[in-house]
Amino acid sequence: MTARQSLFVGGSWVEPDGGHHEVIDPAAEQTVGWAPEASRDQVLAASAAAREAFGPWSRTAPEERAAVLGRAAGIIAGRLTEYAELARAETGATLGTARGMQVGVAAARFRRYARVEPAEWAIPPQINEAGPMGKAGVMGALAVRQPVGVVTCITSYNNPWANPAGKIAPALAMGNTVVVKPAPQDPLSVYRMAEALEAAGVPPGVVNVVGGSRTEVGEAAVAAPDVDMVSFTGSTAVGQRIAEVCGRGMKRQLMELGGKGAAVVFDDADLRSAVAGIGTTFSFYSGQICTAPTRVLAQRGVYGRLVEQLAGYAARLKVGDPGEPDTVVGPVISAAHRDRVESYVELGRKEGAVVMAGGERPDLPSGFYVAPTLLADCTNDMRVVREEIFGPVVAVVPFDDEEEGIALANDTDYGLIDYVWSGDVARAFRVARRLRAGGVGVNTVGRNMEAPFGGFKRSGVGRDVGSYALHAYSEVQAIVWPG
């Protein structure tokens, strides 16, 4: 589908010092293309190019930066079919998901940040009894959002379009420059995004892409002295290591890490809605999504019916070739990850969970497939309930009353997004406010794309999406003067 890819450094496409590695189609188990392996020196060169470009780009009028982002959105939307086919091939996502939730969302995010927003706010004047010079007076003030500088964006494998776009677009809109380090499993889409940005008129050095499967590439991208901020999406364990390096350099961080979302389902819930929402864990990216409601807490009055309906829902989903229009569940990203997910299902059995659906590898000629799996009769101390599996596996735990449901939901290391299903809207909002999570869906798994996104506890640091992303990629400066 694509030939050997080059790195994008300082506005030029350059050959990688470390050669190339294969990118494998998770469904066909065939080569999609060859991704470049940057050296440490090339990563440092990319961050140096971003540093050189930062001054001119940060001084560019916001309207000019917005125009570039708008053109990029148009280019991506215009190449939707081509880009979606690449995304399907290297991620294993269904074609509908690749078109709508990957490439389509990426175009929408660039379009969103092509809107110019105020970066200055007047602060009410303050009357000082006595200032530093010993004189009383009125002091005016202005709060100004300034770009952070050079931002390293380390992106996740589950969505190589929407995730990088959600970092690059607001960072550029605020006047930052970026060094993007894509996930090694599916980096080819990110290089296509760089081509679109180049065609849109991004000046040399403003966007750089340096990928690789070696640990030293990511380490250099974080530790480079020219880097002021790291925006990372990935596992909590890797995020913790990045945070340690950032701490030594006092670098700003934005971390979207792991999740183990609780779906608290009360006796009076609309089960049809709850099952459809929870069922997205089986289908959406084959469960490879940190926001998935993978940990279901069901009140005992509805527990049996919910388990029965979820099991039936899982069994009806077509698993197979993501290029087929009726496929709902595609493969996971790699053979290693399939083995990891399957090991958790086996662990659940050993811990005493009952497999109500799935649990066996689908009988397909090729591909890294995992059947949608439902584990019932779980307890909150089981590893399958406490640890992020990142696959199409849902574990169900019963509870008695509201207080116990809240306590079980909060008894976790994670806190990204939780969900509440109840016919009593007042109770649903009461419970939502007591959940220790960065977001809560009430009778829905839908998202408002202007609402802040981020996690509590080990699910991350900071908030982005909408205007909150502009805040994340900026520093606040105070300018004060005598009135």
Side-chain angles (χ1 to χ4, degrees):
M1 181 173 293
T2 186
R4 294 179 184 269
Q5 180 64 56
S6 300
L7 303 170
F8 190 54
V9 179
S12 298
W13 295 93
V14 300
E15 284 303 298
D17 291 341
H20 294 78
H21 70 268
E22 275 186 295
V23 177
I24 302 297
D25 182 333
E29 298 185 49
Q30 296 176 353
T31 302
V32 177
W34 295 84
E37 290 278 356
S39 65
R40 181 178 181 277
D41 287 345
Q42 288 179 312
V43 176
L44 295 179
S47 62
R51 171 60 62 198
E52 183 176 355
F54 170 66
W57 179 250
S58 65
R59 293 190 294 270
T60 299
E63 291 78 9
E64 292 184 38
R65 299 197 296 264
V68 172
L69 296 177
R71 289 195 295 270
I75 292 168
I76 292 170
R79 299 174 182 171
L80 175 63
T81 300
E82 171 194 346
Y83 289 162
E85 180 55 32
L86 174 59
R88 183 209 60 76
E90 65 175 343
T91 67
T94 62
L95 191 54
T97 295
R99 289 177 63 89
M101 299 307 298
Q102 295 196 10
V103 182
V105 169
R109 286 182 169 174
F110 278 104
R111 193 175 301 115
R112 161 63 179 85
Y113 294 106
R115 288 174 11 205
V116 177
E117 296 190 18
E120 298 183 359
W121 293 267
I123 298 172
Q126 180 183 4
I127 299 175
N128 291 341
E129 293 295 332
M133 306 301 292
K135 297 179 181 179
V138 177
M139 301 299 292
L142 189 68
V144 181
R145 288 208 169 272
Q146 298 278 16
V148 179
V150 176
V151 182
T152 284
C153 302
I154 302 178
T155 65
S156 59
Y157 72 72
N158 62 341
N159 196 326
W161 281 96
N163 184 266
K167 298 177 185 297
I168 296 168
L172 297 189
M174 276 305 309
N176 301 284
T177 55
V178 298
V179 176
V180 186
K181 193 277 181 187
Q185 297 92 333
D186 49 11
L188 303 177
S189 290
V190 182
Y191 290 101
R192 297 286 81 73
M193 188 181 298
E195 288 179 355
L197 284 161
E198 182 185 29
V202 170
V206 171
V207 175
N208 306 270
V209 185
V210 282
S213 59
R214 300 182 181 96
T215 303
E216 69 176 24
V217 176
E219 290 177 345
V222 172
D226 284 310
V227 170
D228 302 293
M229 174 179 172
V230 176
S231 176
F232 171 71
T233 300
S235 72
T236 296
V238 174
Q240 288 171 325
R241 293 199 294 272
I242 290 173
E244 291 173 0
V245 176
C246 287
R248 291 195 293 271
M250 295 301 292
K251 299 182 181 186
R252 192 182 182 95
Q253 305 164 46
L254 179 61
M255 299 279 186
E256 182 198 333
L257 307 178
K260 193 70 177 180
V264 185
V265 183
F266 287 97
D267 287 345
D268 60 354
D270 178 345
L271 284 193
R272 188 172 185 176
S273 171
V275 168
I278 295 164
T280 59
T281 302
F282 302 133
S283 57
F284 197 41
Y285 301 138
S286 301
Q288 298 168 114
I289 181 167
C290 53
T291 59
T294 57
R295 188 168 53 107
V296 177
L297 308 175
Q299 197 165 15
R300 289 192 188 275
V302 77
Y303 175 84
R305 285 183 293 145
L306 181 62
V307 167
E308 179 182 6
Q309 292 183 32
L310 279 172
Y313 186 97
R316 290 191 297 271
L317 300 176
K318 180 188 173 182
V319 181
D321 182 356
E324 296 293 329
D326 60 340
T327 294
V328 180
V329 183
V332 296
I333 194 66
S334 66
H337 190 55
R338 176 190 60 194
D339 294 346
R340 178 180 181 274
V341 175
E342 288 179 341
S343 72
Y344 267 105
V345 175
E346 184 58 31
L347 174 63
R349 285 192 176 102
K350 292 177 180 177
E351 290 181 313
V354 177
V355 178
M356 301 298 295
E360 302 294 335
R361 184 177 297 183
D363 184 15
L364 293 166
S366 66
F368 310 129
Y369 294 96
V370 176
T373 300
L374 181 69
L375 303 176
D377 295 348
C378 297
T379 59
N380 220 44
D381 59 349
M382 291 180 176
R383 285 180 59 192
V384 290
V385 178
R386 304 198 67 81
E387 299 176 13
E388 185 176 40
I389 299 173
F390 219 60
V393 180
V394 171
V396 190
V397 178
F399 72 91
D400 289 312
D401 56 26
E402 182 177 313
E403 289 300 319
E404 184 185 14
I406 293 169
L408 289 173
N410 288 334
D411 182 18
T412 176
D413 291 334
Y414 297 103
L416 189 55
I417 294 187
D418 287 342
Y419 306 88
V420 180
W421 268 275
S422 174
D424 183 341
V425 175
R427 173 168 66 178
F429 277 85
R430 180 175 68 243
V431 170
R433 288 187 174 94
R434 293 183 59 189
L435 296 179
R436 300 292 295 165
V440 181
V442 173
N443 294 324
T444 184
V445 292
R447 294 265 304 281
N448 180 320
M449 296 313 294
E450 290 296 317
F453 179 78
F456 288 11
K457 297 184 277 189
R458 295 189 181 183
S459 284
V461 177
R463 296 292 181 272
D464 65 357
V465 177
S467 297
Y468 297 91
L470 299 175
H471 301 171
Y473 292 98
S474 62
E475 297 280 13
V476 180
Q477 178 189 59
I479 301 176
V480 181
W481 63 90

